Amino acid sequence: MSTVTRASRRDFLKIAGTTAGGLFIGFNWFSCDSPKVEVLSTEEILSQAKNFNSYLSISPTGDVVIYSPNPELGQNIKTSFPMVVAEELDADWEKVRVVQANLDTEKYDRQLTGGSGAMPHSWERLRTAGSTAKYVLVAAAAKTWNVPAEEITVEKGIISHKGSGKSGHFGEFVTEAATMTAPEQVTFKDKKDFKIIGTPVKNVDAKEMYTGQPLYGLDFYREGMLHAMIQRAPFGMKIKSVDDAAARAVTGVQEVVTFGNSVAVVGSSTWPLMKAKKLLRIEYEPEGKVESSADHDRIFKELLASGKAEVRRKDGNVDAAFKNAAKVVSAEYQCPFLAHSPMEPENFFAHVKGDKCELIGPTQTPDRARQSAAQILGIPAENITVEITRLGGGFGRRLRADYVEEAVEVSRVMNAPVKVTWSREDELTGGAYRPAVRYKFEAALDESGNMTAYKLRGVGMNAGNTTREHNFPSGAVDNVLIESVNYESSITTNAWRAPITNFLAYAEQSFLDEVALEAGKDPVQFRLDLLQRAKTNPVGELGYDVDRMIGVVQAAKEKSNWGKNPNVKQGFSVYFSHRSYVAQVADIVMEGGTPTLKKITAVTDCGMVINPIGANHQVRGGIVDGMGHAMYGNLTFENGVPKQKNYDTYRLIRMKEVPEIETHFLTTDFDPTGLGEPALPPTGGSIANAIFAATGRRLRSQPFIEQKEFSDIKLDIRRA
């Protein structure tokens, strides 16, 4: 069935040009139901399109230009967004050109990348963009040929009228289309008629990436710009004194600038600045808490045992259920700090020019960058432009604007264009991190092995709520108590891919396996029984769709041949996060006494899949990321400074350590949901549960390789 969305004629603004040119349609997407549309028909306006962030333009040649508004950091949004527009337009994908849009908050209300929310937020807006453009083009053709519009068809950018035998490409009608009026109602295509959506489309930046064309912030260069590298104070410390004489003596260094608790070395290129930065002699003194990882371990245990907790959910009578339980299962799980480790270290260009400022670089939140610069400079935000480059990874790190602020500060002092570049050591020692967390779980079982009560208390950092109190198994158990304790740390923490759930999922899913074992039940069936209870007789609020979760569980059970091969030890995990559902099964085979991780099978329900290539890459990437950090990642602090300063000591997963990954997607009619993050949370649980099935060793802390339970397990990883 087609979908109809309403658009007021008052929201459709025509601007007729004085010269023939392309059709330009710009959209204000603050409302799904009433998008503003502008139709411009001059080459002059088209040439100035960089000033408009949300638009579709069609040249007289029939080429279609689509601007992608959200920052691209590898989640493939720069390809999938235009696919949706082109689908509703019935464009020829071979004639579509995609351009990254710059920041324009008058045109967008969510021009950012984070929380896997870009596609769910923009799905209807994108469809409206394409269908509106198609409407005016068809109307223009109908007027030109003097035929009824309803007799006209559009396919691959060609407009045709069968009765008269007339046809022409989009570009032939752009001038006339500029005189057309927008409809009161825009009709979307029936999903079964999609020809572009659901087909494999290669990344629109693929050629530029593999031929080394400039795309990323690190690629940006402007004649005459200065470079800066910065030494930042340890967490909890402030600068007491600076001796920069040796740094200034390095050839290529022009200036040393101190601002806040940072010292910037400024010069002609990064190489002399890296040398000079090491020659700075900076003395620090305490400003607040100067923390070490050993302190966190002690504090978290104390907070778990204390009465200082915020109740996030309470169903039934938990105390009575535990008092009357036939068996109680309890366990604690903990995880360390993690770095975001994007391939491209932080960098940004700033040029402060009086009461104006130009910003260029990789950011997940361009408006935050602009607002931060405005606050530093004391100028209106509208005086600041932000050009977004492709991001070489982000994973939440580039939600912050600290590195943008540094570029602004140095440019202001130097009165010159400046590009700030972080080294890999800067990234690991002066950044923002996935916070350490500790959870305590308890479950009450009756004589039949049914879970009658469930308790979770979490202690985290700078996050407020460390739980997802409405996620499974909440709603499936009569008596539930979920509490959260927040610890304010001087160490800067930040959203890290799949915030909160990146570790919570592992802990919850591992604990549910522990409970299933004590109940004497198959782990998958144990979850299915709970989900059936949530479906037939839910308790309290459900934050998940029970049927969709059951769907991925059953599909993963089938695709992985769960329990059918006695020689394969399997671990199961399922999680809902960022609107999507992912179930995973890890397979381990004992070879010569060594547990060998052979395969991970993943089933995903993310609604309609826009681009199978991009979707497959996202799930595989999430699994590799989840596995690598569960197995190896660990960042520890001593006196406010990370001990691990580069990849020689901060362990990342290696190519040879990636097992076979088999991906499946459920075919559903749901609108697209998030996919950049949901595949990561279940991964640690599936592997840990498989390790237990193979060895009898329960892993309750990450990274796995540093746990005593893992010390004599020589886990091998081989592609089947």
Side-chain angles (χ1 to χ4, degrees):
M1 179 179 294
S2 61
T3 305
V4 175
T5 184
R6 296 183 179 275
S8 168
R9 281 193 174 91
R10 289 191 300 273
D11 289 332
F12 191 92
L13 175 65
K14 295 183 300 177
I15 301 180
T18 57
T19 60
L23 175 69
F24 180 90
I25 302 178
F27 296 86
N28 183 315
W29 292 354
F30 278 97
S31 167
C32 283
D33 300 323
S34 182
K36 291 185 178 179
V37 183
E38 296 174 356
V39 180
L40 314 178
S41 62
T42 71
E43 289 182 349
E44 180 182 3
I45 294 296
L46 189 60
S47 70
Q48 297 174 357
K50 63 183 180 180
N51 296 325
F52 296 83
N53 277 36
S54 172
Y55 81 92
L56 157 69
S57 66
I58 302 172
S59 77
T61 64
D63 291 291
V64 178
V65 178
I66 300 173
Y67 268 43
S68 184
N70 291 55
E72 171 63 64
L73 53 75
Q75 82 281 36
N76 212 42
I77 208 71
K78 191 176 176 182
T79 303
S80 56
F81 264 27
M83 286 176 67
V84 179
V85 177
E87 180 66 72
E88 289 290 345
L89 180 62
D90 275 313
D92 180 357
W93 183 255
E94 295 300 318
K95 295 182 76 66
V96 171
R97 305 293 178 264
V98 181
V99 178
Q100 175 67 58
N102 296 332
L103 175 67
D104 190 332
T105 53
E106 292 185 2
K107 301 292 181 182
Y108 301 100
D109 61 335
R110 193 187 186 277
Q111 195 177 359
L112 59 88
T113 293
S116 294
M119 183 57 73
H121 176 81
S122 298
W123 169 246
E124 198 168 303
R125 294 163 169 81
L126 296 165
R127 299 185 73 184
T128 300
S131 59
T132 304
K134 178 180 174 180
Y135 177 92
V136 295
L137 287 166
V138 167
K143 181 178 179 181
T144 301
W145 296 334
N146 194 27
V147 300
E150 57 268 20
E151 294 180 4
I152 289 178
T153 59
V154 183
E155 184 173 2
K156 285 194 170 184
I158 302 297
I159 303 174
S160 304
H161 181 250
K162 185 176 181 180
S164 64
K166 295 180 178 180
S167 66
H169 61 68
F170 285 162
E172 296 176 41
F173 305 98
V174 294
T175 301
E176 186 62 43
T179 69
M180 299 291 104
T181 302
E184 287 284 357
Q185 296 183 340
V186 179
T187 302
F188 294 160
K189 291 173 68 173
D190 194 305
K191 292 177 181 177
K192 66 179 177 57
D193 296 326
F194 285 169
K195 296 181 177 64
I196 297 175
I197 291 175
T199 63
V201 174
K202 67 180 181 181
N203 191 307
V204 295
D205 285 336
K207 182 178 179 180
E208 286 76 10
M209 286 191 284
Y210 67 68
T211 57
Q213 300 302 306
L215 282 172
Y216 301 93
L218 282 178
D219 295 327
F220 177 78
Y221 173 79
R222 178 173 293 174
E223 189 70 31
M225 74 179 186
L226 297 174
H227 292 266
M229 301 194 79
I230 296 172
Q231 181 62 53
R232 300 159 191 89
F235 295 102
M237 305 286 277
K238 64 179 180 179
I239 294 174
K240 184 177 181 180
S241 64
V242 178
D243 179 355
D244 58 15
R248 287 178 179 274
V250 174
T251 301
V253 172
Q254 294 186 19
E255 187 60 84
V256 177
V257 177
T258 299
F259 59 94
N261 280 326
S262 299
V263 180
V265 184
V266 186
S268 56
S269 64
T270 56
W271 178 242
L273 303 185
M274 293 178 71
K275 294 166 56 180
K277 188 158 75 81
K278 294 178 180 179
L279 297 175
L280 291 170
R281 296 292 176 259
I282 306 174
E283 185 179 358
Y284 299 102
E285 60 184 356
E287 184 177 38
K289 291 184 290 187
V290 181
E291 302 176 46
S292 299
S293 293
D295 300 327
H296 299 145
D297 292 341
R298 172 183 54 80
I299 292 169
F300 279 21
K301 290 177 182 178
E302 292 173 354
L303 288 174
L304 273 182
S306 73
K308 300 176 181 178
E310 178 187 5
V311 175
R312 303 296 305 184
R313 181 178 183 128
K314 188 172 185 180
D315 297 330
N317 190 332
V318 176
D319 292 339
F322 273 93
K323 182 178 179 180
N324 298 322
K327 185 180 292 187
V328 172
V329 186
S330 63
E332 292 188 16
Y333 286 77
Q334 66 179 2
C335 70
F337 287 95
L338 291 178
H340 293 77
S341 301
M343 184 64 70
E344 176 192 25
E346 313 312 336
N347 65 92
F348 225 82
F349 170 88
H351 190 186
V352 178
K353 298 171 283 187
D355 64 347
K356 297 185 184 301
C357 179
E358 179 186 15
L359 300 176
I360 302 173
T363 171
Q364 291 180 240
T365 52
D367 191 44
R368 176 178 289 180
R370 183 172 72 166
Q371 296 297 335
S372 295
Q375 184 173 5
I376 290 171
L377 299 173
I379 63 177
E382 54 266 28
N383 287 10
I384 300 172
T385 61
V386 183
E387 181 178 332
I388 308 164
T389 63
R390 189 180 177 97
L391 288 67
F395 315 111
R397 176 61 184 91
R398 288 186 163 102
L399 292 170
R400 297 178 63 85
D402 52 329
Y403 57 102
V404 182
E405 294 166 2
E406 291 174 342
V408 172
E409 292 275 15
V410 179
S411 176
R412 177 173 63 171
V413 172
M414 297 299 298
N415 193 29
V418 172
K419 182 177 180 180
V420 165
T421 302
W422 291 38
S423 68
R424 183 64 61 192
E425 288 82 359
D426 292 335
E427 181 72 48
L428 285 173
T429 61
Y433 312 96
R434 194 280 301 273
V437 182
R438 191 177 184 94
Y439 293 110
K440 181 178 181 179
F441 296 89
E442 296 176 84
L445 298 172
D446 63 16
E447 294 287 352
S448 300
N450 299 309
M451 186 160 63
T452 60
Y454 174 80
K455 290 200 295 187
L456 163 63
R457 173 178 284 195
V459 179
M461 288 182 169
N462 308 332
N465 183 19
T466 61
T467 72
R468 291 291 183 266
E469 62 269 18
H470 300 309
N471 277 10
F472 179 77
S474 293
V477 184
D478 287 331
N479 307 287
V480 170
L481 177 63
I482 297 180
E483 301 173 303
S484 180
V485 183
N486 184 52
Y487 170 74
E488 289 296 332
S489 172
S490 63
I491 297 172
T492 306
T493 58
N494 198 51
W496 189 93
R497 193 174 188 178
I500 305 298
T501 60
N502 54 59
F503 180 74
L504 178 60
Y506 152 74
E508 286 180 342
Q509 291 296 303
S510 295
F511 181 68
L512 284 178
D513 260 39
E514 294 198 53
V515 179
L517 178 67
E518 292 296 330
K521 297 183 178 182
D522 173 80
V524 175
Q525 191 57 51
F526 182 71
R527 290 169 173 83
L528 286 172
D529 291 344
L530 286 170
L531 286 166
Q532 190 60 40
R533 165 64 199 281
K535 180 177 180 178
T536 58
N537 189 19
V539 180
E541 181 178 348
L542 292 180
Y544 53 97
D545 185 311
V546 177
D547 287 330
R548 294 180 73 178
M549 184 170 276
I550 289 175
V552 294
V553 171
Q554 290 178 331
K557 180 180 179 180
E558 174 190 347
K559 297 296 184 182
S560 67
N561 295 313
W562 175 263
K564 293 183 178 180
N565 187 341
N567 295 321
V568 178
K569 305 302 179 182
Q570 296 180 302
F572 185 85
S573 182
V574 61
Y575 215 72
F576 161 72
S577 67
H578 298 85
R579 307 175 183 86
S580 294
Y581 302 79
V582 182
Q584 294 179 18
V585 176
D587 291 354
I588 286 181
V589 175
M590 299 299 292
E591 296 182 344
T594 299
T596 303
L597 179 61
K598 288 282 193 178
K599 182 179 180 180
I600 295 176
T601 302
V603 176
T604 301
D605 178 355
C606 59
M608 176 168 286
V609 175
I610 303 296
N611 184 355
I613 293 177
N616 184 43
H617 289 169
Q618 285 302 300
V619 171
R620 289 175 180 273
I623 289 172
V624 172
D625 206 7
M627 175 183 172
H629 287 93
M631 292 285 298
Y632 311 114
N634 189 11
L635 194 73
T636 58
F637 286 81
E638 186 171 349
N639 297 324
V641 179
K643 291 183 179 180
Q644 298 77 17
K645 294 179 170 54
N646 211 320
Y647 290 154
D648 57 338
T649 51
Y650 184 76
R651 179 81 152 81
L652 295 177
I653 193 169
R654 297 160 184 162
M655 288 294 293
K656 67 179 182 179
E657 294 164 342
V658 179
E660 177 188 356
I661 298 174
E662 182 179 302
T663 62
H664 302 272
F665 294 85
L666 295 188
T667 302
T668 72
D669 197 42
F670 291 103
D671 288 346
T673 51
L675 198 52
E677 290 158 296
L680 186 150
T683 304
S686 67
I687 295 172
N689 289 336
I691 290 172
F692 176 82
T695 67
R697 308 289 183 86
R698 184 70 68 185
L699 298 170
R700 296 193 179 97
S701 297
Q702 293 180 1
F704 297 162
I705 61 169
E706 296 185 15
Q707 308 312 310
K708 63 180 181 181
E709 294 85 359
F710 195 80
S711 59
D712 59 348
I713 297 176
K714 305 302 180 183
L715 181 66
D716 195 6
I717 297 146
R718 299 178 188 169
R719 295 178 178 86

